[in-house]
Amino acid sequence: MGAPKDAAAHHGGGSPLVGRAAEQGLFDTVLDGLGHGAPSFVDITGAAGIGKSRLMTEFCLRARRRGMTVLRGRAAEYERYLPFHPFADAFAELDHLPPPAHDLLDAMSRVIGGRPAGPSAPATADRFGLHRSVARLMAQLGGTGGLMVALDDVHWADPASLELLDHLVRHPVPGPVVLVVARRDRQTPAALTAALSREAATGTVLRIGLAPLAQRDCVEGLAPDLPPDRAARLYAAGEGNPLYFLSLLHAYRENAARRRTTPSASTGTDLGELPTGLRALLRSELAPLTPPQHRTLEAIAVLGDHAVLPMIRSVAGRTDAELDDDLDTLARRDLVRPGPGGRTVLRHPVLRSLVHESTASRRRIEIHRAAAAELARTAAPAVERARHIERSVTTWDPQAYAVLKQAAEQTASTAPTSSAHWLRAALRLLPDTPEHAPERRDLMLRRARALGVSGGLRESRDLLHEVIGTVGPDETDVRTSAVVLCALTERHLGRYPEAIALLRRESRRQPEPSPSDRVAIGLELSSSAPHNASYAEMRSEVARTLADARDLGNERGEAGALAVAAFGEAYEGDVTAASAYAAQAAGVLDGLPDGDLTALCEPLGRLAWAEAFLGRFTDAERHADRGLGIARRSGQIYLLPLLLLCKAHVRIQTCRLQSARELADEAEDIARGIGSGELLAFVLANKAQVRVAASAPGDPEALAAAEEAVAAMGPSDNWRASMAWCMLGYASLTGGDPHRARDALLKAGGDDLRGLQPSMRPLLMELLVTAALFTGDVPAASAWSERAGREAEQLGLPVQRASAMRSAAQLALHHGDVGRAATLLSEAAAECARSGAVFWEARSLLLAAPAMTAAGYGARGEAMWKQGHRLATAGGAGLLLGLAELTRPPAPQPRTPSTSAVPPRLASLTAREREIAELAAEGLTNQAIASRLYLSPRTVETHLSRVFRKTDVATRASLAALMARS
């Protein structure tokens, strides 16, 4: 297994590596530590010609010497819409892979190689699934000796590759795998630069910025035979850039050779006679070529990845013998070199750019046209043909148009930016005539969808407005589709008033929409709740839509309206109505085949969320799973975060934190890819919730995610914004900042918390009770606890009732009533156990354990602690494991012999009293002891009073002296 022997060397050879010893040492350090905490991503940056490719070649050689598999690919300036181009270039070097890696590569190559994914490739049904498949393949390859994937010129990478790179930066491949990229910093897209910079700060990415070579390294390494004074002048002109220096050196020697063959020439060679500027130097290298040789070079530059011998011969119009002579001359002058896959490549991308741009426009068109014809003859994938067609066909050509459409279809799910590009090229060809108007609008709708899922939301919105403004009166279906899609796009942009206004205007237009169109408009309009409008404001709209759907016998519309109603009522806390609507919605949706549910993925998500709010976790996960499968197969990427986060929420409640983290991470990938700031903020808020539950108390990742969520949300004040602020409060409280926690929660819901989700308020009030007690505001804690109890009873939801019980238990502990606290926490644990809320059950048990012990039920307290600890460990709940350490029962005290030196006054203390006495003797305050033992300050004060009474001491100093004597 492995790459061809020359694979590591392509793209970068031809000159010795000089002056980069420090950089090579850094890379060796990375290889030494792979899989053991070393950076797994190396980012080589620098100006054009500074030596990035040459250094990467050396890195590849070093990795191969260690027995690693080395794959190398390169992005190209004129192939920016060939999806996954540098990855396809790298993976083309694989051979003889053992299963399962071979099967995985075969599935991915259908997409990466430009062919549509078939039924045998489920892992590549959407682009985010493809990202995970690539990471899985890299991990498998790295498991047998290590893997290095080297990608050059990623500043020119296509959008699909950039998105995949972003995924690999944020989710490093486990094991001995290193990804190395080389790029020009100033030309790199901002999103990739930001991701690399962010991870460089965390140590995941090693950045190697290449500076100009030192004069000694440059001259001694590249021109040791040159007189020192002339070499110095060449170095000064080249400013330490190896490419510029070598080009100057080449021009200098060419000039010197001409002088030697011209008797009248001077024996000296003046540097001032050389061309100035890199492009001028490179042009001087091309000057000696004959016209046929120049045409061959132009063909290679324009063909790019298709510059194999048969294609070059066909395009250049040369015989085999003539082409051999041309290539020999070009290779001898080091203008071209052999590349991977039998291709011929120019020496450097700068040289290719120069040749390409200096090729006459008509000549470029001829080359692309000939290439398209040759690719059609060999039945090449549509994506490969489309690149040449868009650059050579300028008038209506049905066959060319069909290829562009096919390329768009093949890339729609995995590379939507490329799909949008091919659709734009098809629109340019399609005549703008009444005859083709319906087809044009269909293409515009498809392009708007592609833009909408690839980060181009604003461009998608503008295109949809154009469709709405030009649609004919008899094209009502097209108009409604455009209006609903435009409203959805406005929602993702956070422009809810605009979305509502657009839909209301459409519902009032004349002639009025058909009943089926009214259902579609009503469903989208009611989807604004609770994001921007309260569900109460939309309740009548939902009822009207439900009635219209039932009148039509439209099961899909009925199911959609029922799901919206279930979600809205569950959010508002009307459990009876929500339960009834959820049961009806489930009855309809469960009875429909998957094919009929393609348009109902969002209602499936809403039903799943409603069931999650109602504590029906099994049903919620079942419906979320079904929605995820259908959304992936149908390419409805924008719906995946809604479904993934619902499933993650369920897994938090049921204490399956590792899978919850994975689901939240996937949702984040998709939200970033879509480009919706508000959706990303909502995803980050949920990610923060997962991080808080899964990590140790005070973990900075949780707080960072919550802070980013709030920042991404901006000034919005809707449901998603309140969730972001609530998670900031949650993360702040577990991080030990109760003041910030209180402020964030009040920011989320207002002073009366009316802005918070009613069905979740008791749980959020528990956080306020905790924060108030930590800050000493007992009246506020009592008020929040009493209100939580009232609202929880009204809801009747087990998780919320248990939360209110924990709030009341905190107050009881503060007032020293350990018996009541133990009872409340025991009941809370039982309530959670009945509903399947394992996370909250474990939390309640761990809090109950010390209260039970303090109340005199040590055995029961210990059993509760063990059960809570077991649940927390099985679920990967780092937060609860931290709590378990604080509430761990004291170790059984051995029986003290009668000769013990322990003073009798200390022997009378209970285990908890002795523990508190020791901490007090160490100088800790009541508040510090309370934090350490997860008790209230009032409880600590009560225990200390008993300690003072039993030991007959009056001050902490006397207590410390007594403890010291023991």
Side-chain angles (χ1 to χ4, degrees):
M1 184 186 77
K5 289 185 178 180
D6 62 344
H10 86 261
H11 297 321
S15 63
L17 179 64
V18 297
R20 302 298 185 192
E23 289 83 356
Q24 294 175 65
L26 287 172
F27 185 68
D28 285 341
T29 302
V30 169
L31 294 184
D32 290 340
L34 275 184
H36 301 287
S40 57
F41 199 111
V42 179
D43 177 26
I44 307 172
T45 65
I50 203 67
K52 301 183 297 295
S53 298
R54 185 62 191 86
L55 181 63
M56 181 176 277
T57 296
E58 181 61 28
F59 285 177
C60 290
L61 292 173
R62 286 171 177 259
R64 286 184 63 80
R65 290 190 198 111
R66 293 176 180 241
M68 298 175 67
T69 298
V70 176
L71 307 176
R72 187 164 183 187
R74 171 171 245 152
E77 183 176 8
Y78 303 103
E79 286 81 30
R80 295 193 192 188
Y81 285 97
L82 287 181
F84 307 105
H85 179 261
F87 286 93
D89 193 19
F91 291 157
E93 298 178 349
L94 289 171
D95 56 12
H96 308 306
L97 286 180
H102 180 275
D103 297 337
L104 189 55
L105 177 65
D106 182 61
M108 291 184 339
S109 66
R110 296 176 178 275
V111 179
I112 290 179
R115 297 182 294 279
S120 64
T124 60
D126 66 80
R127 67 192 200 264
F128 303 103
L130 179 64
H131 298 168
R132 296 189 297 278
S133 295
V134 170
R136 199 158 61 249
L137 174 65
M138 290 170 63
Q140 290 178 9
L141 294 174
T144 54
L147 172 71
M148 173 180 171
V149 178
L151 304 178
D152 211 346
D153 292 329
V154 298
H155 51 277
W156 284 325
D158 59 278
S161 293
L162 290 172
E163 196 171 59
L164 175 51
L165 277 171
D166 180 74
H167 174 88
L168 295 172
V169 171
R170 289 184 292 106
H171 306 292
V173 179
V177 176
V178 61
L179 182 60
V180 183
V181 300
R183 62 189 179 90
R184 300 177 194 169
D185 208 3
R186 293 183 180 180
Q187 292 176 250
T188 305
L192 181 59
T193 299
L196 290 170
S197 299
R198 183 179 62 247
E199 297 305 322
T202 67
T204 303
V205 171
L206 169 65
R207 183 169 186 177
I208 299 178
L210 296 188
L213 288 175
Q215 179 172 336
R216 180 175 178 179
D217 291 331
C218 193
V219 172
E220 292 184 2
L222 300 176
D225 58 330
L226 214 60
D229 60 329
R230 290 176 181 171
R233 295 173 68 187
L234 285 176
Y235 174 82
E239 299 178 339
N241 184 298
L243 175 63
Y244 202 171
F245 181 84
L246 287 169
S247 297
L248 284 165
L249 181 63
H250 175 84
Y252 172 85
R253 285 175 170 156
E254 286 276 316
N255 199 356
R258 284 196 299 272
R259 290 176 179 273
R260 284 195 298 271
T261 59
T262 306
S264 60
S266 168
T267 57
T269 304
D270 187 354
L271 182 61
E273 298 175 14
L274 296 179
T276 59
L278 181 57
R279 296 180 74 85
L281 285 167
L282 295 175
R283 285 194 186 96
S284 72
E285 291 190 53
L286 307 180
L289 300 180
T290 65
Q293 291 166 352
H294 207 100
R295 284 197 296 273
T296 298
L297 193 66
E298 290 174 341
I300 295 170
V302 173
L303 286 172
D305 279 0
H306 293 139
V308 293
L309 290 178
M311 183 69 81
I312 300 170
R313 182 173 56 248
S314 173
V315 169
R318 304 288 277 167
T319 65
D320 287 344
E322 289 171 337
L323 182 60
D324 287 345
D325 289 342
D326 290 346
L327 293 177
D328 284 345
T329 300
L330 296 174
R332 195 164 53 251
R333 301 189 67 85
D334 196 24
L335 293 171
V336 301
R337 295 172 180 173
R343 300 199 302 266
T344 300
V345 300
L346 274 78
R347 182 181 77 230
H348 195 278
V350 172
L351 181 60
R352 183 193 177 192
S353 177
L354 174 68
V355 175
H356 189 284
E357 295 306 317
S358 61
T359 302
S361 175
R362 180 177 298 178
R363 172 66 177 149
R364 287 203 300 267
I365 291 173
E366 290 174 357
I367 294 171
H368 284 301
R369 184 179 293 123
E374 180 65 18
L375 290 170
R377 188 185 66 78
T378 59
V383 170
E384 294 186 28
R385 297 165 59 191
R387 174 167 70 94
H388 297 290
I389 285 173
E390 72 159 326
R391 293 172 180 171
S392 61
V393 180
T394 57
T395 58
W396 173 236
D397 182 332
Q399 289 183 333
Y401 172 74
V403 172
L404 293 171
K405 281 184 62 179
Q406 188 180 4
E409 290 168 3
Q410 290 178 0
T411 55
S413 62
T414 55
T417 304
S418 294
S419 181
H421 176 80
W422 303 129
L423 287 168
R424 182 175 62 181
L427 282 165
R428 282 200 298 264
L429 284 187
L430 189 66
D432 191 3
T433 62
E435 175 190 358
H436 294 97
E439 174 80 356
R440 173 170 289 277
R441 280 189 281 274
D442 177 65
L443 286 188
M444 292 168 73
L445 272 175
R446 289 168 58 188
R447 184 163 185 264
R449 291 191 186 96
L451 290 168
V453 297
S454 62
L457 289 170
R458 286 175 175 77
E459 190 177 356
S460 174
R461 172 190 176 277
D462 293 344
L463 194 58
L464 289 166
H465 275 284
E466 185 178 344
V467 173
I468 294 168
T470 59
V471 71
D474 56 339
E475 296 178 278
T476 56
D477 289 347
V478 174
R479 180 184 179 90
T480 300
S481 295
V483 167
V484 170
L485 184 57
C486 188
L488 175 65
T489 304
E490 298 280 25
R491 268 204 282 147
H492 278 304
L493 286 167
R495 297 160 55 100
Y496 289 99
E498 289 82 353
I500 292 172
L502 178 67
L503 292 164
R504 291 206 184 281
R505 176 176 177 270
E506 187 64 16
S507 66
R508 294 192 299 265
R509 70 176 173 83
Q510 295 297 327
E512 68 178 25
S514 67
S516 60
D517 286 346
R518 279 205 314 272
V519 170
I521 293 167
L523 285 175
E524 178 58 34
L525 185 59
S526 57
S527 294
S528 62
H531 305 297
N532 189 66
S534 72
Y535 180 73
E537 296 175 60
M538 289 294 171
R539 195 175 270 118
S540 60
E541 186 69 47
V542 175
R544 185 162 48 249
T545 302
L546 179 59
D548 285 343
R550 283 173 168 166
D551 288 344
L552 289 170
N554 181 347
E555 281 188 305
R556 289 181 293 182
E558 179 186 4
L562 287 168
V564 170
F567 178 76
E569 299 294 1
Y571 176 90
E572 294 293 341
D574 190 337
V575 174
T576 301
S579 298
Y581 281 127
Q584 294 177 62
V588 178
L589 289 167
D590 291 348
L592 292 172
D594 282 0
D596 289 351
L597 292 179
T598 301
L600 290 175
C601 288
E602 187 165 16
L604 272 168
R606 289 178 178 274
L607 173 59
W609 271 106
E611 290 167 332
F613 292 155
L614 295 171
R616 300 177 182 178
F617 301 126
T618 301
D619 288 337
E621 189 162 3
R622 175 170 62 87
H623 287 125
D625 274 332
R626 193 177 185 198
L628 282 168
I630 297 169
R632 290 191 199 281
R633 291 194 295 273
S634 59
Q636 298 180 78
I637 300 299
Y638 62 94
L639 292 176
L640 292 179
L642 172 75
L643 295 155
L644 288 165
L645 292 180
C646 177
K647 192 171 176 179
H649 177 79
V650 168
R651 294 199 169 184
I652 294 172
Q653 309 307 306
T654 54
C655 206
R656 291 173 284 170
L657 275 302
Q658 179 56 41
S659 59
R661 289 184 70 147
E662 293 167 358
L663 292 163
D665 285 344
E666 184 181 353
E668 181 186 1
D669 290 344
I670 297 169
R672 290 187 187 278
I674 291 174
S676 168
E678 185 179 79
L679 176 60
L680 177 60
F682 184 61
V683 169
L684 290 171
N686 282 270
K687 176 184 173 181
Q689 184 184 13
V690 176
R691 288 286 193 269
V692 169
S695 307
D699 181 75
E701 280 190 16
L703 187 59
E707 289 173 335
E708 188 180 355
V710 168
M713 186 59 68
S716 300
D717 60 354
N718 55 28
W719 172 48
R720 289 177 169 175
S722 71
M723 281 296 297
W725 282 102
C726 284
M727 290 308 107
L728 179 59
Y730 189 18
S732 298
L733 186 61
T734 59
D737 191 345
H739 294 281
R740 189 182 190 193
R742 179 199 59 205
D743 294 345
L745 288 163
L746 294 180
K747 170 73 175 178
D751 291 341
D752 61 356
L753 296 192
R754 294 298 174 189
L756 294 183
Q757 181 178 343
S759 57
M760 296 288 286
R761 269 203 295 256
L763 195 59
L764 297 168
M765 288 177 190
E766 183 184 353
L767 302 178
L768 281 170
V769 170
T770 305
L773 287 175
F774 266 114
T775 57
D777 191 351
V778 179
S782 299
W784 292 126
S785 177
E786 290 172 6
R787 184 172 164 192
R790 292 195 303 271
E791 295 200 15
E793 286 304 315
Q794 290 172 359
L795 290 168
L797 296 172
V799 172
Q800 304 302 321
R801 284 170 53 86
S803 177
M805 292 174 186
R806 288 194 300 272
S807 292
Q810 289 189 71
L811 267 297
L813 284 171
H814 178 78
H815 294 299
D817 191 347
V818 292
R820 173 170 165 72
T823 300
L824 286 167
L825 291 168
S826 178
E827 291 176 359
E831 192 85 21
C832 294
R834 282 192 293 271
S835 68
V838 179
F839 180 87
W840 300 111
E841 177 190 359
R843 179 174 176 80
S844 301
L845 287 168
L846 292 170
L847 291 173
M852 280 290 177
T853 301
Y857 302 99
R860 187 177 177 193
E862 184 176 358
M864 296 178 88
W865 185 90
K866 287 180 178 178
Q867 173 70 351
H869 185 266
R870 184 186 65 79
L871 294 175
T873 302
L879 179 68
L880 298 185
L881 291 174
L883 173 60
E885 286 305 308
L886 291 173
T887 60
R888 181 184 294 274
Q893 297 295 317
R895 182 178 297 274
T896 304
S898 58
T899 58
S900 170
V902 177
R905 290 180 293 173
L906 290 181
S908 65
L909 299 181
T910 66
R912 175 64 85 183
E913 290 167 350
R914 179 67 181 264
E915 185 177 24
I916 289 175
E918 289 173 347
L919 293 174
E922 291 175 12
L924 273 68
T925 64
N926 286 7
Q927 181 66 57
I929 296 171
S931 300
R932 176 81 63 88
L933 301 181
Y934 215 86
L935 302 173
S936 72
R938 182 62 178 270
T939 301
V940 173
E941 183 181 339
T942 301
H943 279 300
L944 274 176
S945 297
R946 292 172 183 163
V947 168
F948 288 150
R949 186 175 64 252
K950 290 180 179 181
T951 58
D952 194 25
V953 297
T955 66
R956 286 176 179 253
S958 300
L959 178 61
L962 179 63
M963 298 295 293
R965 289 198 301 273
S966 70

